[in-house]
Amino acid sequence: MSKTMKALVLREHGDLDQLSVVNDYPRPEVKPGHVVIRVGASSFNYHDVFTVKGMPGIKVPMPVIIGLDMAGEIVEIGEGVEGWSTGDRVLVNPLCPGVGLMGEMLDGGMAEYCVVSAGQLIRMPSDVSYVDAASLPVAYGTAHRMLVTHNTIKKGDKVLILGASGGVGTGCVMLAKQMGCEVIACAGSQDKLDRLKELGADHVVNYREEDFSKWAIAQFGKPQRRNYDGGVDVLINFTGGDTWIPSLKCVKRGGSILTCGATAGHDPKEDLRYIWSFELKIIGSNSFYDDNLAALMDMIQEGTLKPVVDKVVPLEEAAEGLRLIRDREVMGKVVVTP
């Protein structure tokens, strides 16, 4: 058995040219309480862009193999691990309690093998592929927790989703539609809007050509302070930045703004007058848990959910796959197979 493996390695923060595929990275050794998996697939998230660039207050140990999301097959089992066998197919919850995220504080999934704490393993149903499973944790798991676990949307709600073409966004579109909502999906190109319609969006808005907030007011009426007319019931905004105040302006009295991130800036201008005048609820949702991921895999097996995968690329092309995520040139997920 070879003691080395192929991996996508980050050795210092910077642009994507700091990533390199190497063929001689030390293969991980099994240790007590852990297993080694042969990675079947790993997927990128916008978080990986931040990891490469560097984030204030987070010291990433270098070198590190990036990639939070991964699924694979157990090939070695460490001392003290019970309930698992070699050959078992598993999805990995990327959060290692007490340590941090895989692909950031620990080597992640963009490699042929990965060592994982047994407590992070989730058994995969037989009919779920590695590609589909690896698409789930950060994107679809976050969407599922934000909408389903927190019970934030209901049948008949008008739900406007910013950034609808990304991983979290496509998850929100499909889940909201399944729950009987009227879905408004915002994206930046006609091709993405067409594909969002295919996913079930009732309305689509090109935010590069039209102000989404003004569109919502024109379509549903201006929100009223003394009654509940006008506006959307729920607005999903994990973008932040310049989209925040326009979001406040098009949500109906008593409505909700859901947030689970801030890809365009975490410190936007604020206007508290809209929050109190329209009795708005700002609801945050952080991360995901095993029950979210297990529920999503059950949905895939039942045929009620199919993760949106834009591209599946080999490890040698992984850096280009992350560039597509960074530059918002994809619809849904980019998955890497080693």
Side-chain angles (χ1 to χ4, degrees):
M1 183 182 298
S2 174
K3 293 185 178 181
T4 61
M5 65 175 181
K6 184 165 54 177
L8 179 68
V9 181
L10 177 68
R11 299 193 183 276
E12 62 179 277
H13 292 304
D15 206 342
L16 299 185
D17 58 4
Q18 297 297 335
L19 291 169
S20 59
V21 176
V22 300
N23 295 309
D24 58 353
Y25 199 83
R27 175 175 163 159
E29 297 181 358
V30 74
K31 54 186 178 181
H34 291 67
V35 304
V36 173
I37 68 167
R38 179 186 294 113
V39 178
S42 180
S43 77
F44 280 125
N45 299 280
Y46 209 88
H47 187 96
D48 295 299
V49 175
F50 292 139
T51 299
V52 173
K53 184 177 179 180
M55 292 174 281
I58 298 179
K59 185 174 177 57
V60 176
M62 300 286 186
V64 67
I65 298 170
I66 67 168
L68 288 77
D69 295 342
M70 74 192 89
E73 174 191 0
I74 296 175
V75 293
E76 293 182 73
I77 297 178
E79 181 181 349
V81 174
E82 298 180 354
W84 297 100
S85 304
T86 56
D88 284 348
R89 301 167 72 248
V90 294
L91 174 63
V92 177
N93 184 327
L95 180 60
C96 183
V99 181
L101 288 170
M102 308 289 290
E104 184 180 90
M105 293 297 133
L106 297 161
D107 281 341
M110 297 290 163
E112 293 178 295
Y113 296 91
C114 187
V115 61
V116 181
S117 170
Q120 295 174 249
L121 303 177
I122 305 169
R123 199 175 301 276
M124 287 177 55
S126 58
D127 294 336
V128 177
S129 70
Y130 288 137
V131 168
D132 283 348
S135 301
L136 295 178
V138 171
Y140 288 80
T142 296
H144 190 274
R145 178 171 174 79
M146 182 165 58
L147 302 186
V148 179
T149 303
H150 292 314
N151 193 28
T152 50
I153 62 174
K154 63 183 185 301
K155 184 177 180 179
D157 279 350
K158 299 177 181 68
V159 179
L160 190 152
I161 303 165
L162 299 180
S165 63
V168 179
T170 54
C172 287
V173 169
M174 289 188 285
L175 290 172
K177 193 60 186 173
Q178 283 192 25
M179 296 169 74
C181 298
E182 184 175 350
V183 176
I184 305 102
C186 301
S189 73
Q190 189 59 49
D191 176 62
K192 290 178 179 179
L193 296 177
D194 291 342
R195 295 174 71 180
L196 287 164
K197 290 283 283 187
E198 293 173 1
L199 288 182
D202 298 283
H203 313 276
V204 292
V205 180
N206 188 331
Y207 66 81
R208 296 186 189 278
E209 298 178 354
E210 193 166 10
D211 183 311
F212 71 87
S213 185
K214 291 179 179 178
W215 181 94
I217 291 170
Q219 181 77 16
F220 303 115
K222 185 177 180 180
Q224 301 297 306
R225 289 185 296 169
R226 304 303 181 191
N227 58 50
Y228 296 93
D229 295 338
V232 299
D233 299 281
V234 179
L235 190 146
I236 299 173
N237 184 332
F238 44 82
T239 304
D242 292 339
T243 67
W244 189 251
I245 288 181
S247 297
L248 298 174
K249 294 180 177 181
C250 65
V251 177
K252 71 183 297 182
R253 178 185 175 192
S256 302
I257 296 177
L258 313 182
T259 181
C260 61
T263 56
H266 70 278
D267 189 21
K269 290 181 179 179
E270 182 62 276
D271 194 329
L272 296 175
R273 296 173 297 176
Y274 285 93
I275 297 176
W276 84 65
S277 296
F278 294 91
E279 299 179 334
L280 301 180
K281 295 183 284 289
I282 311 298
I283 302 172
S285 185
N286 184 32
S287 193
F288 47 85
Y289 291 85
D290 288 0
D291 60 330
N292 302 116
L293 304 182
L296 288 163
M297 285 195 289
D298 286 343
M299 292 172 69
I300 294 173
Q301 178 152 314
E302 294 162 2
T304 58
L305 177 75
K306 177 65 175 176
V308 179
V309 177
D310 191 292
K311 286 181 172 56
V312 179
V313 300
L315 196 56
E316 289 79 7
E317 299 174 18
E320 171 61 11
L322 187 55
R323 185 200 67 77
L324 295 173
I325 295 284
R326 182 196 66 187
D327 295 345
R328 306 183 193 281
E329 294 181 9
V330 298
M331 174 81 176
K333 299 288 292 184
V334 172
V335 178
V336 175
T337 54

